[in-house]
């Protein structure tokens, strides 16, 4: 038998993500969310103690989706720069498929929410940067190449990812995160290999 409580929780999160994507510029209140889900506000609070906890659950989903794949890519056989491309591509594709969560990642919808949520998003991008740096550093050590500035390269790639997600949200999802990504990556890669 399927657990009705976990299904309702999932319904709430899916509705919240949908509202983040479609209700551009509108503040999402628990009353509006309850109406969207078809439950009372009290029912929302039986599943989540606060709206902040709902956002945290969306961030949990985001982190699990991204970092489980990042770990798989990091342990793969490709050269480090190809791993970085794959990691960046998977984050951009995730963002494109989850537009509402992309709004959350930019912090746009967190005005008036707890500082803890903003810090959590910052930590997620820091973790992404750390993973990229580790990928680059591991290969540099294996090849005895001490001239590679893995920290600077990882920061640049992370900045590009964040910028593309921000552009996606700022354009009201008109400019897709993967639009012209192949061309831009080639240019970025050329600059990195000089």
């Amino acid at each position: 038998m399927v657990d009705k409580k976990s299904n309702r929780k999932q319904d709430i999160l899916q509705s919240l993500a949908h509202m983040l994507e479609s209700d551009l510029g509108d503040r999402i209140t628990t009353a509006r969310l309850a109406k969207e889900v078809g439950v009372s506000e009290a029912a929302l609070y039986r599943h989540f103690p606060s709206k902040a906890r709902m956002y945290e659950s969306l961030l949990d989903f985001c982190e699990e989706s991204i970092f489980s794949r990042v770990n798989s890519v990091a342990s793969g056989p490709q050269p480090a720069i190809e791993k970085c491309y794959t990691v960046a591509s998977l984050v951009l594709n995730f963002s494109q498929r989850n537009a509402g969560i992309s709004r959350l990642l930019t912090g746009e919808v967190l005005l008036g929410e707890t500082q803890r949520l903003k810090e959590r998003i910052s930590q997620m991008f820091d973790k992404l940067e750390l993973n990229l740096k580790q990928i680059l550093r591991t290969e540099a050590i294996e090849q005895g190449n001490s001239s590679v500035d893995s920290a600077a390269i990882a920061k640049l790639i992370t900045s590009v990812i964040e910028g593309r997600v921000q552009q996606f949200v700022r354009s009201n999802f008109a400019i897709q995160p993967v639009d012209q990504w192949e061309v831009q990556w080639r240019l970025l890669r050329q600059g990195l290999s000089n």
Side-chain angles (χ1 to χ4, degrees):
M1 181 173 180
V2 178
D3 183 5
K4 246 181 142 174
K5 187 172 182 174
S6 67
N7 279 347
R8 179 62 71 193
K9 209 171 186 178
Q10 189 65 28
D11 290 344
I12 293 167
L13 293 176
Q14 287 175 342
S15 292
L16 178 57
H18 178 263
M19 289 175 76
L20 287 169
E21 182 176 346
S22 59
D23 295 357
L24 304 175
D26 292 338
R27 189 165 189 276
I28 296 174
T29 63
T30 53
R32 286 186 54 227
L33 179 58
K35 185 177 179 182
E36 174 87 13
V37 178
V39 298
S40 67
E41 279 187 82
L44 285 180
Y45 288 116
R46 280 194 293 275
H47 297 285
F48 296 97
S50 66
K51 188 167 63 167
R53 185 62 197 123
M54 292 176 211
Y55 286 139
E56 285 177 1
S57 293
L58 287 177
L59 289 172
D60 290 343
F61 166 73
C62 180
E63 286 182 336
E64 173 60 32
S65 298
I66 290 172
F67 290 109
S68 63
R69 293 183 188 127
V70 167
N71 293 335
S72 176
V73 169
S75 62
Q78 308 95 319
I81 200 69
E82 293 306 316
K83 289 178 184 180
C84 290
Y85 165 77
T86 302
V87 167
S89 296
L90 78 85
V91 174
L92 295 175
N93 278 299
F94 176 87
S95 177
Q96 187 165 311
R97 285 191 308 272
N98 298 281
I101 293 176
S102 293
R103 282 189 70 210
L104 183 59
L105 293 177
T106 65
E108 177 185 301
V109 295
L110 296 179
L111 293 174
E113 297 298 332
T114 67
Q115 183 63 28
R116 183 180 79 242
L117 286 170
K118 294 173 189 165
E119 290 168 3
R120 173 110 184 257
I121 292 166
S122 180
Q123 289 169 353
M124 193 186 95
F125 281 107
D126 290 346
K127 183 178 177 181
L128 180 64
E129 183 179 324
L130 181 64
N131 276 269
L132 291 166
K133 182 169 74 172
Q134 189 59 43
I135 287 168
L136 292 159
R137 182 175 288 155
T138 298
E139 182 176 281
I141 291 169
E142 288 171 358
Q143 295 179 350
N145 188 352
S146 61
S147 67
V148 173
D149 190 346
S150 51
I153 295 169
K155 187 171 289 305
L156 176 62
I157 294 169
T158 305
S159 296
V160 169
I161 293 167
E162 285 186 81
R164 293 190 64 84
V165 172
Q166 181 66 43
Q167 185 180 49
F168 180 47
V169 172
R170 183 178 42 80
S171 72
N172 289 329
F173 314 125
I175 302 172
Q176 301 293 304
V178 296
D179 284 353
Q180 299 181 326
W181 173 236
E182 299 291 328
V183 172
Q184 292 173 347
W185 177 259
R186 276 196 305 273
L187 294 169
L188 186 60
R189 185 178 176 165
Q190 286 171 358
L192 293 174
S193 54
N194 290 336

